[in-house]
Amino acid sequence: MKNLSFANRWNADLIDQYYESWLRQPESLEPDWRAFFEGFELGQTRTDAAPSATATATMPSGVSPETTAPVDPILQARVIGAIYAYRGIGHTQAHLNPLQIQAPQNPRLTLDRLGFTPADLDRPCFTGNFLQGGVMTVRELLRRLHETYCGSVGIEYLHIQDTKRRRWLQARLEPTSAKPALSREEKLRALRKISEAETFEQFLHTRYVGQKRFSLEGGETIIAALDALTERCPQSGVEEIVMGMAHRGRLNVLVNIVGKSYDYLFREFSTNYIPDTTHGDGDVKYHLGYEADQTTSTGKKVHIGLAANPSHLEAVDPVVQGKARARLRRREDMVERKKVVPVLIHGDAAFIAQGVVAEVFNLSRLEGYRTGGTLHFVINNQIGFTTEPKDARSSMYCSDIAKMIEAPIFHVNGDDPLAMVMVTQLALDYRQAFGDDVVIDMFCYRRHGHNEGDEPGFTQPTLYRLLAQHPYISQTLAKRLIADGDLTEEQAAQLHAQFQQSLDEILTRVRKDEDATKEERQKKARSGGFRPYYSFEAAPTAVTRENLERVARSLTTIPDNFNLNPKIRRQLETKWENFQKGEGLDWGMGEALAFGTLLQENIPVRLSGQDVERGTFSHRHAVLYDMTNRAPYVPLQNISPNQPRFCVHNSSLSEYAILGFDYGYSLDYPEMLCLWEAQFGDFANGAQVIIDQFITSSESKWQHNSGIVLLLPHGYEGQGPEHSSGRVERFLQACAENNIQVCNLTTPAQLFHALRRQMKRNFRKPLIIMSPKSLLRHKDCVSRVSDFTDGRFQEILDDPTTPKSPKRLIFCSGKVYYDLNALRTESNIRNTAIIRVEQFYPLNTELLQGILKNYAGFEKIVWCQEEPRNMGGWTFMAPILEQITGIKPIYAGRKASASPACGSVNIHKIEQDALVEHSFNA
Ligand SMILES: Cc1ncc(C[n+]2csc(CCOP(=O)(O)OP(=O)(O)O)c2C)c(N)n1
Ligand SMILES: [Mg+2]
């Protein structure tokens, strides 16, 4: 051991580093070091072996006097081991659970298991990189370690690989023993916030008996934490908080953090409450969002928004991320991402169990989706409805999912609000320093049932007996502050009474107002159905030939020294030639021209989804790569010098989180065309919650308008059950009250106008497009330049061949039109017109009726579709066609089927031919 190079000081950093290497790969170290650590491990699993004489080293010269004492390497190894052990597993014996009087004991942290004897306790030791390498007795060291890592806060951070981050956390926590060093004002403020939160809950409990509010009682400390967060924002450079949370404590957060007025909330609680019916169906009050500026104690403003939330737990998480990203863009903070902080508040049961949580964590460092770090709070009341943790998760903590992104995790005893305040401040500082997520897992309890109609004693009789005795958080905190001399008994007593009185006054006022306006409100309720605005009026989507040409040229021109793949080069050349010829513009060109012309008109575009840069079917090539060095070139970012951003992001392989994210983005950045593309349309059902709970219903529930575009590749081409259908029927079933637009388009120019129209009207509606696959390269699926310069979007496309007095009208939508037209031409059929429904919903019936006027005397109408009878547009269109024409439509399509499409290409072809033929002869 003589060769052990301790450098010229006790270099604990180095030892730590070597130790970690040894744990991972022992042979990577020199034999001396290996022997050292083997001895150390032996000591850890100790058998009272006396330290051997050979294992004693003397400190070299150059260290401070107290460190020149002989060092017993075995003792030192155990000391380093103890430091490592406390840092790693100290949290397992932290006092986290407020319902347990004593903290748990982890046998791995007993003196014996750490390798010490009682006699070692008074021996001096070097503390390595704990407390900057001091000297203290083993007893003192263990006391400090215990105090730091086993108090009201349990810290998990050794899963973080980056030394800088770990050192940062140690430097913040170890010198203070993780104790809050708060000013008297901060402590009193925390007490006031908790007292207000408690009083508010108790007030609702007694004034609105049995009304659902999802009481926060037991977890009121979260209010002090969120308040501390708001208070710290200005000094941290944070201007805005974008928050998402579920039901529990939501009302409390709304009034005590976000700034919704008590008046307003009490009005909503009234049994006479009638929402403004001109604004849709509304939602229950514990789902509603709100946003406002809050003024901190230093007079600075922080904007706080709480996103509206459906019942589906955790579904709001990606939406909040998208909103935060949009807000960052609004504040032009797209590099550092520090001005806006996303905050997500989770329930313990939902946090570990809902898969979208993992999907969202996975976005945290992705270029197109990162938001500079999210603060996650878990209101860990150790129960989910009636389910206890042992049935709710296979992991130790509900927060274990966060380890996947190496987020530091703080478990905090919720009955210690000062610890929560300290940890919250630290979490924000960490987030601002590193741009990473942080998790604060607040252990608390649920003083009542799951909701106000639930009797918890049915399933948790013992727990609820215990809880009945448990003091209120404000009482515990007040006692502590009184003991510390920060507060008097009288002041403490007044807090609750004063706030209670002000709530009483507000309630009296609200009730008075309510009586006075009752009649007026009832009249309003009777008067109105909900019909949000929609218009078929042509939007100015055509562009001049010059502008179009400029864009087309930029799209097909690449820099001189760029080595483009020859196939793509040829494609671009053909596109440009066709443009000059004025015809033959394909789907990819239609889409790129839509994006390019919008960018030219200063409208930014964001396209997100799996492999969207190239496009699943290689039709887009939004990013070109140099063949020699893979340098990217994005033609749409080179349309004009001052153009806005064209953002195209290959997403992670997620539908739920990504669509939620892009939906959130579209809400808060309506000036941007936001598109999400599914790899194949069927995969959209992985995001069904976002479609049902947000996209189709948010206008009615929350008056939130999104202009998001969904591109869902759809079409029956023999690729089997999973790659044929974007499930248009699902969207059609969800259509009502002008909530969404559902299209199945057949020409590039139609796509061009539909996309541009999204940004050229004075209202926003989600647009669902069944987008093509084989049509991307179909020789007939092309448009002329004049279709872009003169046309407009047509909800229904009349037959371009204008047959004279047809006896039969075939209605269809999407790709099957080309099959129908081909057969008609081949068979020289003259008595049949083919009419395309390009936009199913809102259906332009006036336009349809106008088209029908051209065809007086038709006798039969057919609805032709590729999809099975129980899918596609049939059930949606049949009654409408019958009502408009007075003729019962004939069905030509696949038979009703459990699966969207067959697996065999041959059967597919037989079916396809049959349904096309059937359309003409049924
Ligand atoms: C996706 C989803 N599944 C089921 C429910 C029904 N549900 C509402 S609250 C709840 C328990 C939630 O427990 P936890 O996440 O711990 O939050 P807590 O109510 O304890 O605050 C359940 C199962 C739901 N709202 N969302
Ligand atoms: Mg819970």
Side-chain angles (χ1 to χ4, degrees), residues 348 381 383-384:
D348 51 318
N381 53 17
I383 196 160

Side-chain angles (χ1 to χ4, degrees), residues 214 247-248 311-314 346-351 354 379 381 383-385 446 450:
F214 292 101
H247 49 287
R248 174 110 25 240
S311 174
H312 289 55
L313 294 166
E314 307 291 347
H346 312 268
D348 51 318
F351 191 44
Q354 291 290 308
I379 300 180
N381 53 17
I383 196 160
F385 206 154
R446 196 183 70 195
H450 173 64

Side-chain angles (χ1 to χ4, degrees), residues 329-400:
R329 178 181 253 266
R330 290 209 163 287
R331 293 183 188 266
E332 297 182 351
D333 182 12
M334 281 122 81
V335 180
E336 291 207 307
R337 301 192 183 276
K338 291 190 173 177
K339 292 184 184 169
V340 179
V341 181
V343 172
L344 291 174
I345 303 173
H346 312 268
D348 51 318
F351 191 44
I352 188 66
Q354 291 290 308
V356 72
V357 173
E359 290 189 28
V360 170
F361 274 126
N362 191 40
L363 304 187
S364 63
R365 293 206 178 118
L366 304 186
E367 193 48 42
Y369 305 87
R370 65 192 178 87
T371 50
T374 300
L375 299 188
H376 300 265
F377 290 89
V378 187
I379 300 180
N380 182 355
N381 53 17
Q382 311 180 68
I383 196 160
F385 206 154
T386 67
T387 301
E388 53 196 314
K390 77 172 176 51
D391 297 321
R393 60 179 187 256
S394 296
S395 59
M396 177 169 172
Y397 293 112
C398 65
S399 54
D400 283 351

Side-chain angles (χ1 to χ4, degrees), residues 29 130 140 162 179 256 309 511 519 528 758 765 781:
L29 295 186
F130 180 66
E140 177 62 4
D162 177 37
K179 293 259 171 297
N256 282 320
N309 181 73
R511 289 205 165 137
E519 209 169 304
Q758 257 327 68
K765 294 280 171 187
C781 183

Side-chain angles (χ1 to χ4, degrees), residues 629-755:
N629 56 13
R630 206 176 172 261
Y633 178 74
V634 183
L636 282 162
Q637 286 169 358
N638 290 277
I639 299 292
S640 61
N642 299 319
Q643 70 168 82
R645 300 251 297 222
F646 170 67
C647 308
V648 56
H649 298 295
N650 282 351
S651 76
S652 64
L653 213 167
S654 140
E655 285 78 26
Y656 192 168
I658 299 291
L659 181 57
F661 186 101
D662 289 316
Y663 164 79
Y665 198 104
S666 73
L667 283 182
D668 285 22
Y669 213 95
E671 302 87 340
M672 188 163 190
L673 177 65
C674 292
L675 307 100
W676 174 74
E677 182 173 71
Q679 191 119 76
F680 281 92
D682 1 19
F683 296 124
N685 65 6
Q688 200 64 48
V689 176
I690 299 298
I691 294 166
D692 290 348
Q693 266 54 44
F694 293 92
I695 292 177
T696 60
S697 57
S698 69
E699 184 172 9
S700 174
K701 293 193 291 190
W702 313 316
Q703 301 85 55
H704 286 179
N705 307 100
S706 159
I708 192 166
V709 179
L710 272 57
L711 300 175
L712 309 181
H714 173 90
Y716 280 61
E717 287 146 13
Q719 289 196 56
E722 310 304 332
H723 295 105
S724 298
S725 178
R727 310 303 297 245
V728 66
E729 63 281 357
R730 298 245 172 104
F731 291 94
L732 294 179
Q733 182 259 335
C735 287
E737 300 175 311
N738 291 332
N739 59 343
I740 54 172
Q741 307 163 96
V742 182
C743 293
N744 192 2
L745 308 175
T746 55
T747 76
Q750 280 284 81
L751 176 70
F752 172 85
H753 291 295
L755 293 179

